[in-house]
Amino acid sequence: MSEQAGYVPVVGAVAEPQPAPEKSYRFSEQAIQELEEILTHYPDKKSAILPALWIAQREYDGYLPPQAIQEVADRLERPFVEVEGVATFYTMYNLRKRGRHHLEVCTCLTCAVMGAYEVVHHLEKRLGVKVGQTTSDGEFTLSEVECLNYCGAATVVQVGDKYFGNITKENVDELIETLRNSNEFTPADLANAIVRLHIPERTAKK
Amino acid sequence: MADVPMVNIKINGIALQAPQGEKVIEAARRINVDIPFFCYHPRLTMENGANCRMCLVEVATPRKNPDGSVVMAKMPKPQTACSLPVSEGMEVWTETEQVIADRRGVLEFLLINHPLDCPICDRGGECPLQNNTIHYGPPTSRFIEEKRHFPKAYPLSEYVVFDRERCIHCARCTRFTQDISGDAQLDFLFRGADMEVGTFAHTRFSSRFSGNVIELCPVGALLSRTYRFKARPWDLMTQKSICTQCSNGCNIKIDHRVSQLQRVNARVNEAVNEEWTCDRGKFGMDYVSSPDRITTPLVKRDGEFQPVTWDEINTLIIDRLQEAGAKVGGIGGTRSSNEDLYVWQKFFRQTLRVNNLDHRMGPHFRPTNSGLYARFGYHSMNNAIADLEKMKTILVFGSNLVDEQPIIYLRVRKAWRAKGAGIVEAVPRSMKTGEEANHVGEFASVRLYYRPGTEVALLHGLLNVMLYENLLSAERLGEIKNLSIVQNAVKSWAPEIAAKECGVEADAIRRAARLLATDQMAILAGETVTQHPYSEDILNALGNLAILTGNPGNINVPVTENNQQGAMDMGILPDVLPGYVGLDQPGLNTKQMLQGAVSGEIEALWISGVDLVNRFYDRDLARRALEACSFVVVTEHTLTETAQLADVVLPTQSVAERDGTFTNVERRVQRFFKAFEISPEIHPEWLIFSQLAMRMGGTAPYFSARDILREIAASVPIYQACTPRDLGDQGVRWHYPAANHTADLVGVEYRAPAAVSA
């Protein structure tokens, strides 16, 4: 559990208050436009924290460093800690840098029955990491997740914005090799896909 | 509240009436039915509330059947009494078997992660969790798993330590920072079993009101860093007192043990501080138990201070004062009680027969009864602090409000948040606040950060918009004499021109003018106005603004020192007696006295409770004067820089060691009481003056501060209502006998800041 799914502020990691992180805004022109459009969907800016965090997760390479939280908070005129509270509440926001590919293996009932744990253990051996950790070359992060609602193709592995179904310990190596050579299916792609859900009529980035 | 309809409810079979919308827990409290709670707090919003589930009660409400008969329908599940409003016919039960079982269950859950380290917890003995567990909780827990572990005593802010293990997630502290202090630095992070209170990215909790969360916390999670492990609650004695750190006069409780101040807690006074304190007050009162306190009179011989007896020192002082004759001056007094000040000025005026008394530290020494008083009939702050809540618009002008008037700042924020008042902040650019915690700019509707020195231009711009966009009531304008003076003065100050001069946006001036052109508008002017070279111009322009908007009684130039208002009232001024009775032959003001000391016209100076060297605006002059003056008496708690330069230093009692009264910024005379004694050799100031006066002139001595207060009430008309008995715990505000609210407009010419040095 030591590095479970990327909680940055590991409690007890700091003995006393830290200096405020330096601000650096990274939202692109397009991101700002998207945020403005999303803001028109809600009665107040507070309501837009979730989609704004998804935009930030895309703009900040698939995770939310404190700067990303600050930028969202500033753009929505909310207190920093309120946005951090939201970002730490939901597990799909990454608070720590992920590998280039984030392997999220479903280990819920159906997948577990279909050998999900074999897949997880195989991946742990193959990648040399435990669940929740990232390989030293920064390629893969391995996570266990709850039901991905794709039980028909158990075992399912979500990588970025793509589901890979019918994964077994035999064919998972092939998936790893495919991903190694692929620039798609990154955490930022997932974030972009979710931003796109908020702006259906527009073609979002990429 | 009179027009709120009342509804009939029953609590535990007791019938009562409650105003509609009142929460069940409040109604129950009125009839002394005990409902335990943790997260409920009447001053905090219910957003994020009702989360501790401790106040569960069973409720039934009347329901009409289709055939017209009415039956009592019981709600299927228990309800939280803190969030449930009463309704007609409601019946509530607080002691049923179901409720008792629910409370046990809730407490068992709340204690799952609680470390139960009460024996070493500062809160032990005054802890709602401890008390409620003993009264309502299960005797044991079924939880045998490992509890959460966090580091103990995390230093959350400069004054607060945080123990996450003890936290029960009631959200009182987070709601406080969001609702009351406004810095919004605390919130919940993570979720479920991992949830914790935290700050953004582990930054410091930098609120200026952080100490309040210690009192709000219903468990021992948020504790004081200064009080930690110092005493147990049952060892403490408590005395009612008044905070001395600023002019707001917060009501506080001094908790003391073995003649030492252990901590300061807030005391409720709805008219002043409600139940809040600022960190300066809560943690800055340590000086009363400082090890540096002087405990005997000191006299300087051969450059060294030597302790002497009071008898000896009084003889010396009398000799030297008689030598000096009329060449005596008295400076200071903003920290002394009204009784001290009254006896001091009486000693000077009746025994020594001089009027050289002043508490002002500069740079302006105008006649007391001129300026604002001559025009409007009041000197400093005319509105009550609580009145600010009733305002539609508040103009914070040239004031770093949270530093100068922390509790007024909280009222202004409450006016905005709870009552929807519009706030206009107009301050010099240097006061523009960015990321800092607690500033008016956080919630101000319009922010005007002007170039220093252009205040009058800005006010002209505002009046220009009001007059030429017809924002003011024509009826009122018709009644105002010499309107043309102002019309002519502001005619050339169209918002664009004023904006360019002041370095603000013309649009912001327009928006500000629209907000300000209303009745129920109050002006809060700060120190940059009173210390401005052209402060009279600014005050005149603010006066014009107040008259034209119909708020001549709402100009406030609050004083900033602890008992500065009392020093004014008691006549620690060269030109007035107590009660602002003018003198024909005024004495010397602070600056003249110090200059006199340098030139030899003043031979003896009495400095009362002020670190003159560091507080007087011209440090060099103060130092030279004290060095040149042949006899300097300083009454002080500790050997300050000023006291080091004195010939005689007399120890005086702090607020914790004596009785007395202070007059706060809104002219509320408030009593404080003796909590403990440090040494019998430390005298209150009134006793020092009283003894000197008795030996010099044979006047009758005073025996207690109460005697003096009675004499003040009898002899100073404005303090007529301030007898010891009438003051009570909450104090009494005195009023100006004839405030002139039909003042005339005054022409104000703008003088460009180029002429203003620095």
Side-chain angles (χ1 to χ4, degrees):
Chain A
M1 287 291 279
S2 61
E3 288 184 59
Q4 174 67 37
Y7 283 177
V8 177
V10 179
V11 173
V14 293
E16 54 184 46
Q18 304 296 302
E22 240 172 72
K23 279 192 179 180
S24 67
Y25 284 6
R26 268 171 62 175
F27 273 28
S28 62
E29 275 302 309
Q30 192 194 348
I32 292 167
Q33 277 174 19
E34 283 166 359
L35 181 59
E36 266 167 25
E37 183 163 345
I38 285 168
L39 281 175
T40 62
H41 301 178
Y42 301 104
D44 58 33
K45 292 188 171 182
K46 183 179 180 177
S47 315
I49 291 180
L50 286 176
L53 281 171
W54 279 115
I55 297 178
Q57 185 147 312
R58 184 188 73 199
E59 299 293 313
Y60 283 78
D61 287 339
Y63 78 114
L64 296 171
Q67 285 80 5
I69 287 169
Q70 270 177 328
E71 176 159 6
V72 169
D74 279 347
R75 291 192 188 280
L76 300 181
E77 294 168 12
R78 302 302 308 175
F80 297 156
V81 72
E82 181 180 310
V83 179
E84 192 189 13
V86 174
T88 51
F89 184 92
Y90 294 102
T91 53
M92 279 173 77
Y93 293 120
N94 302 329
L95 296 170
R96 185 176 286 177
K97 179 105 176 113
R98 294 301 153 98
R100 204 161 60 86
H101 296 293
H102 187 186
L103 305 172
E104 298 179 271
V105 187
C106 172
T107 52
C108 250
L109 183 68
T110 320
C111 292
V113 170
M114 296 300 285
Y117 279 104
E118 286 176 15
V119 173
V120 170
H121 294 149
H122 181 82
L123 282 171
E124 282 185 341
K125 214 182 288 170
R126 170 77 200 273
L127 300 173
V129 294
K130 290 267 189 299
V131 168
Q133 293 178 341
T134 304
T135 56
S136 51
D137 57 1
E139 280 288 305
F140 296 102
T141 301
L142 179 62
S143 295
E144 265 181 61
V145 294
E146 300 303 325
C147 187
L148 291 171
N149 198 11
Y150 198 36
C151 304
T155 300
V156 185
V157 180
Q158 183 183 1
V159 185
D161 55 341
K162 173 108 171 139
Y163 277 9
F164 293 91
N166 297 320
I167 299 294
T168 61
K169 76 173 178 182
E170 283 76 30
N171 65 12
V172 73
D173 287 344
E174 200 184 318
L175 172 64
I176 294 293
E177 287 314 309
T178 322
L179 291 174
R180 241 186 239 289
N181 301 320
S182 163
N183 282 327
E184 290 178 293
F185 320 132
T186 62
D189 288 339
L190 172 64
N192 184 44
I194 295 172
V195 173
R196 205 179 296 157
L197 288 177
H198 282 86
I199 314 173
E201 67 272 26
R202 281 174 59 117
T203 316
K205 197 176 169 183
K206 291 177 190 172
Chain B
M1 291 295 282
D3 45 357
V4 176
M6 302 294 273
V7 294
N8 296 297
I9 60 169
K10 266 188 187 175
I11 298 179
N12 292 346
I14 304 167
L16 72 150
Q17 284 203 317
Q20 197 159 25
E22 189 179 41
K23 303 290 188 278
V24 171
I25 201 168
E26 289 157 4
R29 186 183 271 181
R30 282 195 284 113
I31 57 161
N32 290 335
V33 168
D34 181 32
I35 299 180
F37 62 88
F38 297 111
C39 72
Y40 165 75
H41 193 283
R43 288 179 222 274
L44 302 174
T45 59
M46 288 308 294
E47 194 182 334
N48 278 332
N51 52 27
C52 74
R53 318 309 287 178
M54 193 61 209
C55 62
L56 293 174
V57 290
E58 285 200 275
V59 180
T61 46
R63 187 175 65 197
K64 230 178 201 169
N65 284 335
D67 61 2
S69 63
V70 175
V71 293
M72 291 304 286
K74 202 168 166 190
M75 294 192 187
K77 288 187 177 174
Q79 302 293 312
T80 47
C82 70
S83 61
L84 184 73
V86 295
S87 63
E88 182 61 40
M90 178 182 276
E91 276 197 56
V92 177
W93 296 273
T94 69
E95 297 295 335
T96 62
E97 263 178 45
Q98 175 72 51
V99 170
I100 289 167
D102 292 341
R103 285 174 185 162
R104 282 175 169 235
V106 166
L107 274 167
E108 195 176 349
F109 270 120
L110 287 179
L111 291 173
I112 273 182
N113 279 312
H114 193 82
L116 295 173
D117 54 354
C118 308
I120 56 138
C121 178
D122 272 349
R123 206 78 162 123
E126 53 175 15
C127 173
L129 183 62
Q130 204 178 32
N131 296 347
N132 283 341
T133 303
I134 286 166
H135 280 283
Y136 305 104
T140 58
S141 173
R142 288 166 287 179
F143 189 78
I144 54 167
E145 289 79 5
E146 181 91 3
K147 297 188 180 217
R148 303 211 291 177
H149 288 299
F150 292 125
K152 290 273 182 190
Y154 172 76
L156 190 67
S157 85
E158 211 173 317
Y159 303 109
V160 182
V161 289
F162 182 31
D163 185 331
R164 280 172 247 237
E165 291 180 353
R166 295 179 186 150
C167 178
I168 58 164
H169 305 133
C170 69
R172 274 186 172 196
C173 55
T174 68
R175 283 181 284 158
F176 173 81
T177 65
Q178 288 154 20
D179 299 346
I180 308 294
S181 68
D183 40 84
Q185 290 178 335
L186 296 179
D187 211 336
F188 287 129
L189 305 176
F190 308 103
R191 66 169 166 186
D194 293 327
M195 187 156 86
E196 56 171 284
V197 171
T199 53
F200 169 67
H202 294 291
T203 47
R204 189 177 286 277
F205 175 38
S206 62
S207 170
R208 286 165 212 259
F209 303 92
S210 70
N212 290 297
V213 301
I214 300 165
E215 279 179 77
L216 281 174
C217 185
V219 298
L222 294 160
L223 295 171
S224 161
R225 285 176 86 169
T226 54
Y227 168 70
R228 196 160 178 260
F229 298 147
K230 272 176 84 181
R232 309 300 330 232
W234 54 85
D235 287 338
L236 293 172
M237 309 228 272
T238 300
Q239 183 57 281
K240 291 174 277 192
S241 195
I242 302 293
C243 178
T244 60
Q245 295 295 307
C246 80
S247 59
N248 291 187
C250 285
N251 290 213
I252 55 170
K253 285 182 283 196
I254 285 181
D255 284 355
H256 61 101
R257 179 170 175 253
V258 290
S259 291
Q260 276 198 337
L261 176 126
Q262 304 292 338
R263 66 172 175 186
V264 167
N265 277 345
R267 184 154 61 88
V268 176
N269 188 335
E270 297 294 341
V272 184
N273 55 321
E274 294 182 306
E275 63 182 84
W276 315 122
T277 54
C278 71
D279 284 358
R280 190 145 49 107
K282 203 174 176 73
F283 302 102
M285 297 292 285
D286 291 2
Y287 72 89
V288 305
S289 291
S290 157
D292 302 333
R293 285 287 299 274
I294 314 165
T295 49
T296 59
L298 299 171
V299 66
K300 198 183 255 172
R301 289 185 183 132
D302 309 324
E304 294 270 316
F305 280 118
Q306 286 171 359
V308 283
T309 62
W310 277 101
D311 195 44
E312 233 174 302
I313 204 88
N314 282 346
T315 311
L316 174 74
I317 292 172
I318 290 167
D319 282 353
R320 300 301 297 266
L321 287 181
Q322 275 165 347
E323 241 170 71
K327 296 179 172 181
V328 182
I331 299 173
T334 50
R335 215 177 55 199
S336 313
S337 71
N338 291 329
E339 290 78 4
D340 296 338
L341 297 167
Y342 179 80
V343 181
W344 188 27
Q345 64 86 28
K346 197 172 166 185
F347 170 62
F348 262 60
R349 291 190 167 124
Q350 292 187 5
T351 309
L352 303 179
R353 303 209 166 268
V354 289
N355 283 318
N356 302 335
L357 277 170
D358 205 344
H359 69 274
R360 294 170 292 182
M361 292 293 123
H364 300 305
F365 300 96
R366 302 206 176 84
T368 309
N369 290 340
S370 68
L372 202 58
Y373 181 78
R375 231 176 136 195
F376 295 100
Y378 52 86
H379 287 94
S380 47
M381 183 162 177
N382 196 40
N383 291 118
I385 295 175
D387 281 351
L388 293 172
E389 278 177 35
K390 299 177 198 151
M391 297 298 160
K392 288 184 196 157
T393 305
I394 298 172
L395 170 64
V396 179
F397 196 87
S399 172
N400 187 355
L401 197 62
V402 72
D403 272 352
E404 290 171 25
Q405 318 284 349
I407 291 303
I408 294 182
Y409 165 83
L410 288 186
R411 276 295 170 159
V412 170
R413 195 172 188 281
K414 186 179 175 192
W416 164 75
R417 188 177 167 103
K419 314 280 166 122
I423 312 293
V424 177
E425 186 193 30
V427 293
R429 255 178 220 174
S430 52
M431 282 188 186
K432 185 173 174 175
T433 38
E435 300 291 305
E436 268 174 64
N438 309 114
H439 48 93
V440 178
E442 175 232 333
F443 51 88
S445 317
V446 184
R447 279 158 261 189
L448 298 162
Y449 300 117
Y450 55 79
R451 204 153 58 86
T454 60
E455 288 88 348
V456 172
L458 181 66
L459 290 166
H460 279 353
L462 289 170
L463 281 175
N464 180 294
V465 178
M466 288 182 197
L467 285 172
Y468 293 101
E469 293 190 13
N470 297 324
L471 300 174
L472 300 166
S473 128
E475 196 183 331
R476 190 182 318 112
L477 290 185
E479 285 169 12
I480 290 174
K481 286 175 276 176
N482 57 23
L483 181 63
S484 58
I485 292 185
V486 171
Q487 275 172 331
N488 292 337
V490 307
K491 192 182 272 174
S492 55
W493 289 99
E496 277 72 21
I497 299 168
K500 196 167 167 231
E501 179 67 24
C502 307
V504 299
E505 282 174 24
D507 186 47
I509 294 185
R510 287 210 174 83
R511 281 186 290 134
R514 279 186 201 119
L515 272 175
L516 294 170
T518 170
D519 57 339
Q520 296 299 309
M521 187 271 291
I523 297 167
L524 284 168
E527 277 190 330
T528 65
V529 172
T530 52
Q531 298 185 350
H532 197 282
Y534 300 154
S535 69
E536 230 154 326
D537 287 353
I538 302 172
L539 285 174
N540 280 337
L542 284 170
N544 290 347
L545 178 71
I547 293 171
L548 288 170
T549 52
N551 303 291
N554 294 351
I555 310 169
N556 302 296
V557 192
V559 296
T560 51
E561 299 284 318
N562 168 21
N563 198 25
Q564 193 176 350
Q565 184 68 45
M568 288 161 65
D569 297 350
M570 289 300 119
I572 308 301
L573 286 162
D575 56 351
V576 289
L577 294 172
Y580 301 102
V581 179
L583 280 166
D584 296 335
Q585 286 184 316
L588 305 176
N589 64 37
T590 311
K591 194 176 178 181
Q592 290 164 337
M593 277 187 261
L594 293 177
Q595 283 167 343
V598 174
S599 67
E601 281 162 45
I602 291 286
E603 287 176 5
L605 271 179
W606 192 298
I607 317 286
S608 164
V610 61
D611 190 0
L612 188 73
V613 179
N614 290 315
R615 298 303 311 278
F616 189 65
Y617 79 106
D618 185 350
R619 184 188 163 88
D620 181 53
L621 174 62
R623 233 192 137 80
R624 273 189 298 131
L626 292 178
E627 276 162 4
C629 190
S630 57
F631 186 61
V632 178
V633 185
V634 171
T635 50
E636 254 303 352
H637 299 325
T638 56
L639 276 178
T640 58
E641 207 179 332
T642 306
Q644 302 275 6
L645 295 170
D647 298 292
V648 170
V649 182
L650 304 177
T652 54
Q653 290 180 344
S654 71
V655 66
E657 292 149 65
R658 60 186 169 149
D659 298 338
T661 59
F662 287 139
T663 307
N664 84 347
V665 64
E666 58 162 5
R667 308 191 304 273
R668 181 175 296 276
V669 184
Q670 306 188 102
R671 292 185 81 186
F672 56 88
F673 300 89
K674 175 175 176 173
F676 51 84
E677 188 174 86
I678 289 181
S679 156
E681 289 297 297
I682 306 180
H683 289 178
E685 272 173 272
W686 59 261
L687 184 62
I688 300 172
F689 298 125
S690 173
Q691 282 179 343
L692 289 174
M694 185 174 65
R695 285 180 54 174
M696 286 176 82
T699 53
Y702 296 102
F703 294 103
S704 73
R706 289 171 72 97
D707 285 348
I708 305 167
L709 186 59
R710 279 194 202 98
E711 183 175 324
I712 295 172
S715 63
V716 182
I718 54 175
Y719 274 60
Q720 202 175 3
C722 302
T723 61
R725 186 189 294 164
D726 293 338
L727 288 180
D729 285 349
Q730 309 277 295
V732 168
R733 261 189 101 208
W734 65 263
H735 294 274
Y736 283 96
N740 172 19
H741 290 177
T742 53
D744 286 336
L745 296 171
V746 177
V748 183
E749 276 300 312
Y750 172 58
R751 289 184 267 183
V756 182
S757 57

